[in-house]
Amino acid sequence: MGNIVLNLLVLIGIALAHDCRYTYRKGISCEKSFSFDQLKKGVEESIKNDEIKSEDFQGLEIAYSQIDFLPAMFEEFSHIKFFNVFYSNISDIPAGAFNKLKYLEELEIGFNDVQSINDKAFSKLLNLKKFAFYESRIEKFAKYAFDDLHSLIKLDLHNNHLVELESGAFDNLPKLEELILYGNNLTQLPQNIFKKSSQLTELLLGNNLIDHFTEDTFQGLRRLKTLKLSNNRLVELSPGLFKDLEQLNELELQKNRIEQLNDGVFSNLKNLKNLDLSENQIKHLDTEVFKSLSKLPELNLKKNLLESLPDGVFANNPHISTLLLKSNKLSKITPKMIEGLKGLRNLVLSKNQISYIDPHSFKELNNLRELDLSNNQLQSDNLGFIEYLTKIKSLSLSKNKIEAIPTGAFDNLTLLQNFQLHDNRITRLENNVFDKFRRIYELDLSNNNIEYMEAGIFKNLNSLVTLNLNGNKLKTVEKEFFRGLSSISVFELENNPITTISCDFFQAIPAVQFLYLKKLLIDNFPVNCMSHLQLQKLEIKETNLKILKKRNIYWIRCA
């Protein structure tokens, strides 16, 4: 027994001695060090075993450690340029903890249990350029905590428990370019908190509890390019809040409680490239609210409470290529509502209450390629707008109330590649309705009431790869119905009252690889007609077939 224990202790000692290793960053990473002596020994052995030259030992990383932070600790490593500590039991950082690290450029402390930081804990770090302190219980940093960090470029304080910032906290960081404060419990910011942060280019304040900003909050931040304020409690935006942010490219305001946007709130954001206002409570837009955003390529307004769009609201936004209006309460679309969107390529209007679209609404949108009108109230007599979608490649009319397709309704969709018509009330497919779809590769007609299709309905769809007819009322499957589907790869016919599948049906789909025949009423299956197919998957479930013997399908080729 004694020998076993002795051997075990020897093995543990060997394991602990090899907890340090050299990394690609020219640093040494040590795990599970329970004392400074053990850490020091591990570093020394790593240097010896990996033959590390002194100039190649530039940093130290500690993880899963219980070592206390004491100034004397770093005397052995005073030359390092970066120091990281993760997942350790550090609860307190005393004054001058890093004083010996006079060459330090990067300091990262994350996933620790720090609850107390001395006012002078980060003193004398005059060369520090990047400082990250995150995932701790700290609620506040002292006003002068960062005063010696004159070279700091990036300060990352995300996902702590910060409830407030001291006035002047960043006044002595003249080179600061990136400030990350998201994921805290901040409810407000001190007045002029950024007055001496003129070099800031990125400011992240999302995921806090901020309910308002004073008009001068971002005053002087003329170099700022990214501002993220998402997931706070903002109700309104002061008219001059962003007046100095002339270089701003990205503004995130999603997941707040904003109810209204007033004229002028974005007036100086002439270089904005992305504006996200989704998941707010916006009920109304002033006519000129986006007037100054002449270069804006993307606007996100989804999940708001908009019941209408004022005429000309996008008149000065010719470069918007993506406009997201999903999940609002719009009931109609008129030409004036979307006037000026000459560069629009992707328009999402799904999950509204649209029952009327003026036939000329999209006439001037010559660059429109994708249009999503799913989950609305459109009916068969209101499809005239489709006439002008001459360059559209993807169109969704799914989950509307369409019962029939008017003759010639789709004749101008000659470039269409993806068409979603599922979950409507269509009962018949007349001949020639899809004749112009010579480039289409996906067509979804599932979950309608289709019980009749004229022969040759798909005769010109030589490029079609995926066809979904699930959940309809088809009773028979014959070759003439599907003539022309020479390229079909995925074919779904599930959940139809089909009683008969003719042998020649399989001649019409020679390229099919995935065939789904679940929930049919067939009691016979023509397996002898499938020898020419290169099937990868054949699914036949929940039918009236009593038996499908393996000997009858042994020759079906499966890739």
Side-chain angles (χ1 to χ4, degrees):
M1 182 66 181
N3 289 334
I4 294 176
V5 173
L6 181 60
N7 290 335
L8 182 60
L9 290 174
V10 170
L11 288 174
I12 291 174
I14 292 173
L16 290 175
H18 289 83
D19 274 340
C20 294
R21 65 187 185 283
Y22 191 61
T23 69
Y24 71 96
R25 291 191 64 197
K26 293 188 176 181
I28 295 177
S29 176
C30 298
E31 294 186 359
K32 300 177 182 178
S33 297
F34 292 91
S35 70
F36 176 68
D37 287 339
Q38 183 189 344
L39 174 66
K40 181 182 176 183
K41 182 179 180 181
V43 171
E44 290 173 349
E45 291 195 0
S46 180
I47 291 173
K48 179 180 178 181
N49 294 336
D50 296 317
E51 299 180 352
I52 303 170
K53 297 179 181 179
S54 58
E55 63 268 23
D56 290 331
F57 176 24
Q58 298 183 11
L60 179 63
E61 180 176 300
I62 301 174
Y64 306 101
S65 165
Q66 294 184 6
I67 299 175
D68 292 330
F69 275 88
L70 298 175
M73 168 185 164
F74 294 110
E75 290 181 359
E76 303 288 335
F77 311 118
S78 60
H79 66 287
I80 61 174
K81 292 183 178 181
F82 70 86
F83 176 64
N84 305 329
V85 57
F86 309 116
Y87 299 103
S88 295
N89 292 328
I90 303 157
S91 60
D92 175 70
I93 303 180
F98 308 99
N99 280 0
K100 302 294 182 180
L101 304 179
K102 57 183 179 180
Y103 300 106
L104 199 67
E105 295 181 358
E106 296 181 26
L107 174 60
E108 186 170 350
I109 303 172
F111 300 100
N112 292 284
D113 195 27
V114 181
Q115 300 179 39
S116 174
I117 301 176
N118 188 276
D119 293 3
K120 298 295 183 179
F122 309 116
S123 63
K124 297 186 179 181
L125 292 175
L126 302 179
N127 293 303
L128 197 67
K129 295 179 180 179
K130 296 181 180 180
F131 179 28
F133 188 99
Y134 52 87
E135 297 289 348
S136 79
R137 298 185 183 183
I138 286 296
E139 296 184 353
K140 184 179 178 181
F141 282 93
K143 181 175 181 178
Y144 307 108
F146 311 122
D147 273 12
D148 283 353
L149 311 184
H150 305 310
S151 299
L152 201 66
I153 295 174
K154 180 177 180 179
L155 178 58
D156 183 350
L157 302 175
H158 78 270
N159 286 1
N160 290 292
H161 289 186
L162 297 177
V163 296
E164 67 174 313
L165 297 174
E166 289 279 4
S167 179
F170 311 121
D171 282 1
N172 289 303
L173 307 178
K175 297 182 179 180
L176 191 64
E177 296 179 6
E178 297 179 51
L179 179 56
I180 302 172
L181 291 163
Y182 70 79
N184 283 287
N185 297 318
L186 300 172
T187 57
Q188 61 182 355
L189 299 180
Q191 191 170 6
N192 298 318
I193 182 69
F194 306 120
K195 68 179 180 181
K196 295 186 178 180
S197 302
S198 60
Q199 301 301 307
L200 270 183
T201 60
E202 184 172 339
L203 177 56
L204 279 53
L205 283 163
N207 293 76
N208 278 284
L209 306 172
I210 302 170
D211 58 12
H212 76 282
F213 292 111
T214 59
E215 192 164 317
D216 60 0
T217 299
F218 306 117
Q219 185 176 344
L221 301 184
R222 300 185 185 278
R223 293 174 177 263
L224 199 66
K225 292 188 175 182
T226 300
L227 178 58
K228 298 187 178 184
L229 306 173
S230 60
N231 207 8
N232 276 284
R233 298 181 178 182
L234 299 173
V235 176
E236 63 178 346
L237 304 174
S238 303
L241 183 60
F242 308 120
K243 64 180 182 294
D244 285 353
L245 309 186
E246 297 175 357
Q247 299 301 316
L248 199 67
N249 294 154
E250 184 177 4
L251 177 57
E252 292 189 0
L253 287 160
Q254 70 268 29
K255 295 185 179 180
N256 278 284
R257 302 174 183 180
I258 301 169
E259 297 180 359
Q260 184 171 342
L261 297 173
N262 300 308
D263 284 350
V265 67
F266 305 124
S267 60
N268 284 357
L269 305 183
K270 298 177 181 179
N271 291 297
L272 203 62
K273 295 181 179 179
N274 181 24
L275 176 57
D276 194 339
L277 289 158
S278 62
E279 297 187 58
N280 278 284
Q281 299 173 21
I282 303 171
K283 299 177 182 179
H284 172 75
L285 296 174
D286 286 347
T287 304
E288 297 188 351
V289 66
F290 304 125
K291 183 179 179 179
S292 299
L293 307 181
S294 58
K295 298 180 181 179
L296 187 70
E298 184 169 343
L299 176 59
N300 191 343
L301 285 162
K302 71 180 181 182
K303 294 188 179 180
N304 277 285
L305 303 174
L306 293 169
E307 295 182 358
S308 181
L309 299 174
D311 290 351
V313 67
F314 304 119
N316 294 291
N317 307 117
H319 294 292
I320 289 182
S321 62
T322 298
L323 177 58
L324 308 179
L325 285 160
K326 176 182 178 180
S327 298
N328 278 280
K329 296 186 176 182
L330 300 174
S331 59
K332 66 177 181 178
I333 300 295
T334 66
K336 288 289 186 181
M337 287 182 178
I338 51 179
E339 180 184 12
L341 294 171
K342 296 179 180 179
L344 194 64
R345 297 180 65 88
N346 180 17
L347 177 58
V348 179
L349 290 162
S350 57
K351 292 190 177 180
N352 277 278
Q353 301 168 12
I354 300 171
S355 59
Y356 173 75
I357 299 179
D358 185 291
H360 298 89
S361 292
F362 307 119
K363 185 177 181 179
E364 302 300 323
L365 304 185
N366 296 322
N367 290 301
L368 194 62
R369 299 294 186 270
E370 299 178 38
L371 176 60
D372 188 349
L373 284 162
S374 61
N375 262 295
N376 279 290
Q377 307 293 321
L378 294 172
Q379 298 185 25
S380 303
D381 59 357
N382 190 224
L383 300 180
F385 65 89
I386 296 177
E387 177 184 353
Y388 296 103
L389 301 178
T390 56
K391 295 184 179 180
I392 205 78
K393 292 185 177 180
S394 178
L395 175 61
S396 180
L397 295 171
S398 61
K399 296 186 178 181
N400 277 280
K401 297 181 178 180
I402 301 170
E403 296 181 355
I405 301 172
T407 303
F410 302 148
D411 282 0
N412 288 344
L413 302 179
T414 56
L415 301 179
L416 193 64
Q417 297 177 0
N418 186 320
F419 195 13
Q420 303 293 315
L421 264 173
H422 62 83
D423 291 278
N424 277 284
R425 303 173 182 179
I426 301 169
T427 58
R428 297 170 61 90
L429 293 177
E430 305 290 348
N431 201 3
N432 303 321
V433 68
F434 301 132
D435 275 7
K436 306 297 183 180
F437 290 2
R438 297 182 182 276
R439 299 190 182 186
I440 195 165
Y441 63 79
E442 181 173 349
L443 177 60
D444 193 340
L445 294 162
S446 61
N447 299 320
N448 278 280
N449 297 315
I450 300 171
E451 55 185 358
Y452 174 77
M453 297 188 303
E454 285 196 17
I457 186 80
F458 304 117
K459 62 180 180 294
N460 290 335
L461 276 59
N462 297 322
S463 297
L464 193 65
V465 174
T466 299
L467 176 60
N468 191 336
L469 284 164
N470 291 343
N472 281 286
K473 296 184 178 180
L474 298 172
K475 295 181 180 179
T476 61
V477 176
E478 299 178 9
K479 177 180 179 180
E480 284 306 304
F481 292 156
F482 304 105
R483 178 164 47 89
L485 299 181
S486 57
S487 299
I488 202 75
S489 175
V490 181
F491 197 168
E492 301 187 52
L493 272 170
E494 296 180 355
N495 198 21
N496 278 277
I498 295 171
T499 57
T500 304
I501 297 178
S502 68
C503 189
D504 60 6
F505 160 66
F506 299 104
Q507 302 301 317
I509 54 171
V512 70
Q513 296 182 27
F514 300 88
L515 182 58
Y516 300 91
L517 303 172
K518 184 179 178 181
K519 293 185 179 180
L520 306 183
L521 299 181
I522 55 173
D523 55 15
N524 184 41
F525 190 73
V527 293
N528 295 325
C529 305
M530 301 173 64
S531 60
H532 64 291
L533 300 181
Q534 302 286 335
L535 284 173
Q536 292 190 37
K537 184 173 184 179
L538 171 62
E539 187 169 290
I540 305 174
K541 296 181 179 179
E542 300 178 54
T543 69
N544 289 338
L545 289 172
K546 294 181 180 179
I547 188 169
L548 189 62
K549 296 182 179 179
K550 290 184 178 180
R551 67 173 180 270
N552 290 332
I553 59 171
Y554 72 93
W555 37 256
I556 296 178
R557 302 189 188 103
C558 293

mmCIF file of all heavy atoms in Angstrom, residues 29-55:
data_model
loop_
_atom_site.group_PDB
_atom_site.id
_atom_site.type_symbol
_atom_site.label_atom_id
_atom_site.label_comp_id
_atom_site.label_asym_id
_atom_site.label_seq_id
_atom_site.Cartn_x
_atom_site.Cartn_y
_atom_site.Cartn_z
ATOM 1 N N SER A 29 2.299 29.180 -20.845
ATOM 2 C CA SER A 29 0.978 29.006 -20.247
ATOM 3 C C SER A 29 1.047 27.941 -19.162
ATOM 4 O O SER A 29 1.511 26.822 -19.398
ATOM 5 C CB SER A 29 -0.031 28.592 -21.317
ATOM 6 O OG SER A 29 -1.289 28.326 -20.747
ATOM 7 N N CYS A 30 0.589 28.299 -17.955
ATOM 8 C CA CYS A 30 0.634 27.383 -16.809
ATOM 9 C C CYS A 30 -0.763 27.185 -16.233
ATOM 10 O O CYS A 30 -1.510 28.147 -16.060
ATOM 11 C CB CYS A 30 1.553 27.937 -15.723
ATOM 12 S SG CYS A 30 3.275 28.119 -16.238
ATOM 13 N N GLU A 31 -1.084 25.939 -15.927
ATOM 14 C CA GLU A 31 -2.383 25.620 -15.340
ATOM 15 C C GLU A 31 -2.208 24.940 -13.983
ATOM 16 O O GLU A 31 -1.235 24.244 -13.734
ATOM 17 C CB GLU A 31 -3.177 24.702 -16.267
ATOM 18 C CG GLU A 31 -3.579 25.352 -17.580
ATOM 19 C CD GLU A 31 -4.489 24.457 -18.414
ATOM 20 O OE1 GLU A 31 -4.789 23.328 -17.963
ATOM 21 O OE2 GLU A 31 -4.907 24.885 -19.507
ATOM 22 N N LYS A 32 -3.189 25.195 -13.113
ATOM 23 C CA LYS A 32 -3.304 24.512 -11.823
ATOM 24 C C LYS A 32 -2.078 24.717 -10.940
ATOM 25 O O LYS A 32 -1.597 23.791 -10.289
ATOM 26 C CB LYS A 32 -3.546 23.020 -12.037
ATOM 27 C CG LYS A 32 -4.815 22.726 -12.824
ATOM 28 C CD LYS A 32 -4.991 21.244 -13.082
ATOM 29 C CE LYS A 32 -6.224 20.968 -13.914
ATOM 30 N NZ LYS A 32 -6.378 19.527 -14.220
ATOM 31 N N SER A 33 -1.596 25.943 -10.910
ATOM 32 C CA SER A 33 -0.489 26.266 -10.004
ATOM 33 C C SER A 33 -1.073 26.696 -8.660
ATOM 34 O O SER A 33 -1.858 27.630 -8.588
ATOM 35 C CB SER A 33 0.362 27.393 -10.588
ATOM 36 O OG SER A 33 0.946 27.004 -11.796
ATOM 37 N N PHE A 34 -0.665 26.017 -7.596
ATOM 38 C CA PHE A 34 -1.211 26.301 -6.278
ATOM 39 C C PHE A 34 -0.259 27.129 -5.415
ATOM 40 O O PHE A 34 -0.585 27.471 -4.297
ATOM 41 C CB PHE A 34 -1.562 24.985 -5.566
ATOM 42 C CG PHE A 34 -2.706 24.274 -6.209
ATOM 43 C CD1 PHE A 34 -2.486 23.328 -7.199
ATOM 44 C CD2 PHE A 34 -4.018 24.575 -5.875
ATOM 45 C CE1 PHE A 34 -3.539 22.677 -7.814
ATOM 46 C CE2 PHE A 34 -5.070 23.927 -6.480
ATOM 47 C CZ PHE A 34 -4.842 22.970 -7.458
ATOM 48 N N SER A 35 0.903 27.436 -5.959
ATOM 49 C CA SER A 35 1.847 28.277 -5.220
ATOM 50 C C SER A 35 2.760 28.953 -6.224
ATOM 51 O O SER A 35 2.922 28.494 -7.361
ATOM 52 C CB SER A 35 2.676 27.443 -4.240
ATOM 53 O OG SER A 35 3.575 26.611 -4.937
ATOM 54 N N PHE A 36 3.397 30.048 -5.768
ATOM 55 C CA PHE A 36 4.308 30.745 -6.662
ATOM 56 C C PHE A 36 5.539 29.881 -6.970
ATOM 57 O O PHE A 36 6.062 29.891 -8.081
ATOM 58 C CB PHE A 36 4.746 32.074 -6.046
ATOM 59 C CG PHE A 36 5.755 32.783 -6.889
ATOM 60 C CD1 PHE A 36 5.406 33.303 -8.127
ATOM 61 C CD2 PHE A 36 7.073 32.911 -6.462
ATOM 62 C CE1 PHE A 36 6.347 33.946 -8.916
ATOM 63 C CE2 PHE A 36 8.018 33.547 -7.248
ATOM 64 C CZ PHE A 36 7.650 34.069 -8.477
ATOM 65 N N ASP A 37 5.990 29.124 -5.991
ATOM 66 C CA ASP A 37 7.144 28.255 -6.212
ATOM 67 C C ASP A 37 6.857 27.229 -7.305
ATOM 68 O O ASP A 37 7.708 26.933 -8.142
ATOM 69 C CB ASP A 37 7.521 27.537 -4.908
ATOM 70 C CG ASP A 37 8.176 28.491 -3.915
ATOM 71 O OD1 ASP A 37 8.683 29.545 -4.351
ATOM 72 O OD2 ASP A 37 8.168 28.178 -2.703
ATOM 73 N N GLN A 38 5.659 26.671 -7.250
ATOM 74 C CA GLN A 38 5.289 25.695 -8.275
ATOM 75 C C GLN A 38 5.231 26.348 -9.652
ATOM 76 O O GLN A 38 5.690 25.780 -10.645
ATOM 77 C CB GLN A 38 3.931 25.070 -7.939
ATOM 78 C CG GLN A 38 3.511 24.000 -8.930
ATOM 79 C CD GLN A 38 2.083 23.534 -8.717
ATOM 80 O OE1 GLN A 38 1.493 23.782 -7.663
ATOM 81 N NE2 GLN A 38 1.526 22.873 -9.719
ATOM 82 N N LEU A 39 4.651 27.558 -9.727
ATOM 83 C CA LEU A 39 4.582 28.299 -10.981
ATOM 84 C C LEU A 39 5.987 28.575 -11.523
ATOM 85 O O LEU A 39 6.278 28.344 -12.697
ATOM 86 C CB LEU A 39 3.831 29.613 -10.779
ATOM 87 C CG LEU A 39 3.807 30.572 -11.977
ATOM 88 C CD1 LEU A 39 3.025 29.976 -13.136
ATOM 89 C CD2 LEU A 39 3.217 31.918 -11.565
ATOM 90 N N LYS A 40 6.830 29.073 -10.652
ATOM 91 C CA LYS A 40 8.204 29.408 -11.048
ATOM 92 C C LYS A 40 8.937 28.172 -11.566
ATOM 93 O O LYS A 40 9.612 28.219 -12.605
ATOM 94 C CB LYS A 40 8.943 29.998 -9.853
ATOM 95 C CG LYS A 40 10.380 30.406 -10.157
ATOM 96 C CD LYS A 40 11.057 30.946 -8.891
ATOM 97 C CE LYS A 40 12.526 31.255 -9.159
ATOM 98 N NZ LYS A 40 13.209 31.716 -7.926
ATOM 99 N N LYS A 41 8.759 27.062 -10.874
ATOM 100 C CA LYS A 41 9.416 25.834 -11.289
ATOM 101 C C LYS A 41 8.911 25.368 -12.653
ATOM 102 O O LYS A 41 9.684 24.934 -13.508
ATOM 103 C CB LYS A 41 9.186 24.745 -10.241
ATOM 104 C CG LYS A 41 9.880 23.419 -10.560
ATOM 105 C CD LYS A 41 9.638 22.393 -9.469
ATOM 106 C CE LYS A 41 10.330 21.075 -9.802
ATOM 107 N NZ LYS A 41 10.089 20.045 -8.757
ATOM 108 N N GLY A 42 7.587 25.473 -12.854
ATOM 109 C CA GLY A 42 7.003 25.067 -14.128
ATOM 110 C C GLY A 42 7.512 25.906 -15.284
ATOM 111 O O GLY A 42 7.797 25.393 -16.380
ATOM 112 N N VAL A 43 7.657 27.215 -15.038
ATOM 113 C CA VAL A 43 8.182 28.113 -16.071
ATOM 114 C C VAL A 43 9.625 27.759 -16.395
ATOM 115 O O VAL A 43 10.025 27.689 -17.563
ATOM 116 C CB VAL A 43 8.059 29.585 -15.625
ATOM 117 C CG1 VAL A 43 8.802 30.504 -16.593
ATOM 118 C CG2 VAL A 43 6.603 30.002 -15.526
ATOM 119 N N GLU A 44 10.419 27.532 -15.359
ATOM 120 C CA GLU A 44 11.837 27.190 -15.562
ATOM 121 C C GLU A 44 11.987 25.903 -16.355
ATOM 122 O O GLU A 44 12.843 25.798 -17.249
ATOM 123 C CB GLU A 44 12.534 27.070 -14.210
ATOM 124 C CG GLU A 44 12.706 28.407 -13.493
ATOM 125 C CD GLU A 44 13.247 28.243 -12.075
ATOM 126 O OE1 GLU A 44 13.286 27.074 -11.591
ATOM 127 O OE2 GLU A 44 13.630 29.255 -11.454
ATOM 128 N N GLU A 45 11.154 24.907 -16.050
ATOM 129 C CA GLU A 45 11.243 23.636 -16.760
ATOM 130 C C GLU A 45 10.791 23.790 -18.212
ATOM 131 O O GLU A 45 11.346 23.154 -19.115
ATOM 132 C CB GLU A 45 10.424 22.574 -16.051
ATOM 133 C CG GLU A 45 11.002 22.156 -14.715
ATOM 134 C CD GLU A 45 10.399 20.860 -14.206
ATOM 135 O OE1 GLU A 45 9.535 20.297 -14.913
ATOM 136 O OE2 GLU A 45 10.792 20.425 -13.119
ATOM 137 N N SER A 46 9.788 24.632 -18.426
ATOM 138 C CA SER A 46 9.332 24.876 -19.795
ATOM 139 C C SER A 46 10.419 25.547 -20.620
ATOM 140 O O SER A 46 10.662 25.189 -21.781
ATOM 141 C CB SER A 46 8.073 25.752 -19.788
ATOM 142 O OG SER A 46 7.609 25.993 -21.093
ATOM 143 N N ILE A 47 11.098 26.510 -20.023
ATOM 144 C CA ILE A 47 12.200 27.193 -20.713
ATOM 145 C C ILE A 47 13.300 26.201 -21.070
ATOM 146 O O ILE A 47 13.852 26.226 -22.172
ATOM 147 C CB ILE A 47 12.764 28.324 -19.826
ATOM 148 C CG1 ILE A 47 11.723 29.453 -19.702
ATOM 149 C CG2 ILE A 47 14.064 28.861 -20.395
ATOM 150 C CD1 ILE A 47 12.105 30.527 -18.716
ATOM 151 N N LYS A 48 13.589 25.303 -20.125
ATOM 152 C CA LYS A 48 14.642 24.321 -20.348
ATOM 153 C C LYS A 48 14.227 23.279 -21.379
ATOM 154 O O LYS A 48 14.976 22.998 -22.335
ATOM 155 C CB LYS A 48 14.979 23.641 -19.019
ATOM 156 C CG LYS A 48 16.065 22.577 -19.136
ATOM 157 C CD LYS A 48 16.347 21.933 -17.783
ATOM 158 C CE LYS A 48 17.401 20.835 -17.911
ATOM 159 N NZ LYS A 48 17.662 20.189 -16.593
ATOM 160 N N ASN A 49 13.048 22.710 -21.200
ATOM 161 C CA ASN A 49 12.602 21.624 -22.078
ATOM 162 C C ASN A 49 12.361 22.105 -23.510
ATOM 163 O O ASN A 49 12.623 21.378 -24.473
ATOM 164 C CB ASN A 49 11.322 20.995 -21.536
ATOM 165 C CG ASN A 49 11.558 20.282 -20.211
ATOM 166 O OD1 ASN A 49 12.684 19.870 -19.910
ATOM 167 N ND2 ASN A 49 10.514 20.130 -19.414
ATOM 168 N N ASP A 50 11.833 23.319 -23.653
ATOM 169 C CA ASP A 50 11.532 23.848 -24.986
ATOM 170 C C ASP A 50 12.654 24.694 -25.555
ATOM 171 O O ASP A 50 12.514 25.261 -26.645
ATOM 172 C CB ASP A 50 10.232 24.670 -24.943
ATOM 173 C CG ASP A 50 9.024 23.813 -24.596
ATOM 174 O OD1 ASP A 50 8.942 22.699 -25.149
ATOM 175 O OD2 ASP A 50 8.182 24.261 -23.804
ATOM 176 N N GLU A 51 13.743 24.785 -24.786
ATOM 177 C CA GLU A 51 14.926 25.534 -25.231
ATOM 178 C C GLU A 51 14.555 26.956 -25.658
ATOM 179 O O GLU A 51 14.870 27.407 -26.765
ATOM 180 C CB GLU A 51 15.622 24.796 -26.375
ATOM 181 C CG GLU A 51 16.126 23.409 -25.974
ATOM 182 C CD GLU A 51 16.823 22.690 -27.118
ATOM 183 O OE1 GLU A 51 16.774 23.218 -28.247
ATOM 184 O OE2 GLU A 51 17.415 21.615 -26.887
ATOM 185 N N ILE A 52 13.868 27.637 -24.773
ATOM 186 C CA ILE A 52 13.369 28.984 -25.068
ATOM 187 C C ILE A 52 14.445 30.021 -24.771
ATOM 188 O O ILE A 52 14.996 30.069 -23.671
ATOM 189 C CB ILE A 52 12.113 29.284 -24.219
ATOM 190 C CG1 ILE A 52 11.027 28.234 -24.473
ATOM 191 C CG2 ILE A 52 11.580 30.680 -24.537
ATOM 192 C CD1 ILE A 52 9.868 28.306 -23.515
ATOM 193 N N LYS A 53 14.724 30.842 -25.745
ATOM 194 C CA LYS A 53 15.663 31.949 -25.543
ATOM 195 C C LYS A 53 14.971 33.051 -24.754
ATOM 196 O O LYS A 53 13.749 33.204 -24.818
ATOM 197 C CB LYS A 53 16.134 32.478 -26.888
ATOM 198 C CG LYS A 53 16.918 31.466 -27.706
ATOM 199 C CD LYS A 53 17.325 32.060 -29.057
ATOM 200 C CE LYS A 53 18.090 31.046 -29.889
ATOM 201 N NZ LYS A 53 18.474 31.608 -31.208
ATOM 202 N N SER A 54 15.753 33.831 -24.044
ATOM 203 C CA SER A 54 15.184 34.871 -23.182
ATOM 204 C C SER A 54 14.319 35.851 -23.961
ATOM 205 O O SER A 54 13.267 36.285 -23.500
ATOM 206 C CB SER A 54 16.309 35.618 -22.447
ATOM 207 O OG SER A 54 17.216 36.186 -23.383
ATOM 208 N N GLU A 55 14.771 36.179 -25.197
ATOM 209 C CA GLU A 55 13.997 37.142 -25.987
ATOM 210 C C GLU A 55 12.689 36.545 -26.516
ATOM 211 O O GLU A 55 11.802 37.265 -26.975
ATOM 212 C CB GLU A 55 14.833 37.672 -27.153
ATOM 213 C CG GLU A 55 15.252 36.633 -28.181
ATOM 214 C CD GLU A 55 16.620 36.036 -27.869
ATOM 215 O OE1 GLU A 55 17.035 36.077 -26.682
ATOM 216 O OE2 GLU A 55 17.270 35.537 -28.807
#
